[in-house]
Amino acid sequence: MNQRTDVVVPGLGLGGEYVAGALAEAGLDVVGVEAGPVGGMCPYWACVPSKMMVRACCLLAEAGSVPVLAGGAAVTADSAKVSGRIRDEATDNWDDRVAADRLAAKGVTLVRGTGRLAGPHRVTVGDSTIDARRGVVPATGTQPRIPPVPGLMGTPYWTDRDAMATGKPPTSMIVSGGGAVGVEVAQVFARSRCVVTVTEGQDRLLAREEPEVGDLAEQALRTDGVRVLTGVRAGQIAHDGTTFTVRLGDGGETPHAERLLAATGRHADLSALGVETVGLHLTAAEVPTDGRVRVTEGLWAIGDLTGRGAFTHVSMYQAEMAVRNIPVQSGPEAEVGATSAGPSGGEALYGLNVAAHAEVPVDRLPDMIYTDPTFRRTVGAALGALR
């Protein structure tokens, strides 16, 4: 089946969802393609559930300080409360009907499946072909990078998805990888009475950040009872049906645990996207874009697959840029004031105070990156209502 439209958006994580919805509301005929839940990783397996877990474990840690600082208190961790909130309140049991209906209400045609580039202005989904008059905006994200360690494949190892969706923490866990995901999950599970060991091939945790950050993270994890092994790599992994055993390449310790989390990074699968059909290299680590997130004529790219930082706020920033560079948007010339209410209202308002004082034009404000995705979406919605 062949179909013609104005814009095709393969990949409907938060950035892709925003592009598809905004362009449809601007009057374009838009097709969004997604094999998984509309909204992608952030609301179902990343930002939202992970921060709910972090909030819960921070409350447990804070309550533990009461006897030292304020009096007496007895607190018992109950992981069922956290997993129940994630299941029922945050993800609707990992059901995207609300998000899909929201997208449809904006006029987007949702096609379920995996979108693949098939030349300029063309995307295939299974046996169907969609031609785009204006262009294509891939936002297909990244997948977990599974380390090629002998013995790992075929075992019931976890990725971050499994960790976020579990109803009950294991009694023990080995976290392979000391990046942001590995460190975060390690602390959350350790504070939920799981015995955690973190192994990291680099000589410190959070190796992509400043050294002091990794040192601080290691100190915090050790305070929570986490065993941290840096400068070591797995040489062999075995699973006997109940327990994982990791034989480290240095011949030293051999950690054992009920679960193994593979948290060794993520990568963009450009071969699955079909980038060779638009003149890009299959072996590239990311899709290169210019300052307007344009790849080539009629092709833009946003989100993790561009290699500009695997953060929701970066994806949303790029999404807004893509929208402004397909149909031209206009808006009021100057911001005259803003009101913010809520527990973090002051933090959200600070940037707007500066913008109002400096008389920053409204159409420039979407260019600003808020490091908190919630602030960015809230401010973006308010700015959108002015148009």
Side-chain angles (χ1 to χ4, degrees):
M1 181 183 72
N2 292 341
Q3 180 179 354
R4 288 185 62 81
T5 188
D6 288 325
V7 177
V8 182
V9 183
L12 295 174
L14 291 183
E17 180 186 355
Y18 177 84
V19 169
L23 293 179
E25 288 182 317
L28 296 185
D29 186 9
V30 180
V31 173
V33 183
E34 178 56 62
V38 173
M41 287 291 294
C42 182
Y44 298 100
W45 295 287
C47 319
V48 175
S50 71
K51 298 311 171 287
M52 293 174 75
M53 286 182 165
V54 168
R55 173 60 175 153
C57 82
C58 286
L59 283 174
L60 290 172
E62 187 75 9
S65 300
V66 170
V68 177
L69 301 176
V75 179
T76 302
D78 184 355
S79 60
K81 289 186 178 295
V82 183
S83 61
R85 290 188 62 223
I86 291 172
R87 182 187 63 246
D88 300 332
E89 299 177 24
T91 68
D92 288 335
N93 201 22
W94 290 273
D95 187 327
D96 73 343
R97 279 179 292 181
V98 171
D101 290 346
R102 180 174 64 235
L103 204 58
K106 295 179 178 180
V108 177
T109 299
L110 175 60
V111 175
R112 295 289 189 178
T114 300
R116 178 180 171 84
L117 298 171
H121 293 261
R122 176 169 291 178
V123 173
T124 60
V125 185
D127 296 330
S128 300
T129 299
I130 309 171
D131 290 312
R133 290 180 287 267
R134 297 286 186 95
V136 179
V137 189
T140 49
T142 55
Q143 294 76 44
R145 179 180 285 110
I146 306 303
V149 180
L152 177 61
M153 300 310 295
T155 68
Y157 66 86
W158 276 4
T159 66
D160 49 349
R161 286 193 176 206
D162 302 294
M164 294 300 106
T166 187
K168 181 181 179 181
T171 57
S172 58
M173 181 169 63
I174 299 167
V175 178
S176 179
V181 171
V183 167
E184 183 175 66
V185 172
Q187 184 172 62
V188 165
F189 278 61
R191 289 182 174 181
S192 300
R193 298 180 298 183
C194 174
V195 178
V196 180
T197 299
V198 176
T199 65
E200 167 56 47
Q202 302 295 321
D203 61 1
R204 58 187 173 84
L205 300 179
L206 303 175
R208 301 179 68 175
E209 308 298 334
E210 296 293 335
E212 294 84 357
V213 175
D215 294 341
L216 181 61
E218 180 174 345
Q219 178 182 341
L221 289 183
R222 291 187 184 279
T223 299
D224 287 326
V226 176
R227 186 165 63 156
V228 179
L229 305 175
T230 57
V232 296
R233 297 181 184 276
Q236 180 76 35
I237 293 175
H239 186 259
D240 64 5
T242 58
T243 302
F244 279 94
T245 300
V246 178
R247 185 172 294 110
L248 300 177
D250 64 353
E253 298 190 49
T254 304
H256 304 268
E258 179 185 348
R259 290 291 180 186
L260 171 68
L261 173 68
T264 50
R266 301 181 67 85
H267 71 103
D269 188 355
L270 299 191
S271 61
L273 183 57
V275 296
E276 74 279 6
T277 67
V278 292
L280 301 179
H281 294 293
L282 282 174
T283 56
E286 65 274 329
V287 174
T289 60
D290 64 14
R292 296 179 180 270
V293 300
R294 183 174 178 269
V295 181
T296 186
E297 191 278 323
L299 181 64
W300 295 261
I302 66 169
D304 295 3
L305 85 165
T306 65
R308 300 296 180 88
F311 302 105
T312 297
H313 56 272
V314 173
S315 178
M316 292 300 295
Y317 171 77
Q318 293 174 319
E320 291 168 356
M321 190 178 296
V323 169
R324 292 198 300 275
N325 283 284
I326 300 177
V328 177
Q329 292 184 347
S330 61
E333 293 184 356
E335 176 67 51
V336 295
T339 300
S340 177
S344 300
E347 289 89 338
L349 196 59
Y350 177 77
L352 296 179
N353 286 340
V354 175
H357 181 73
E359 298 182 350
V360 177
V362 168
D363 60 5
R364 291 291 305 280
L365 286 179
D367 294 343
M368 185 167 70
I369 297 180
Y370 282 85
T371 52
D372 188 313
T374 303
F375 291 171
R376 180 168 184 78
R377 296 196 67 152
T378 301
V379 173
L383 293 171
L386 291 176
R387 296 188 169 95

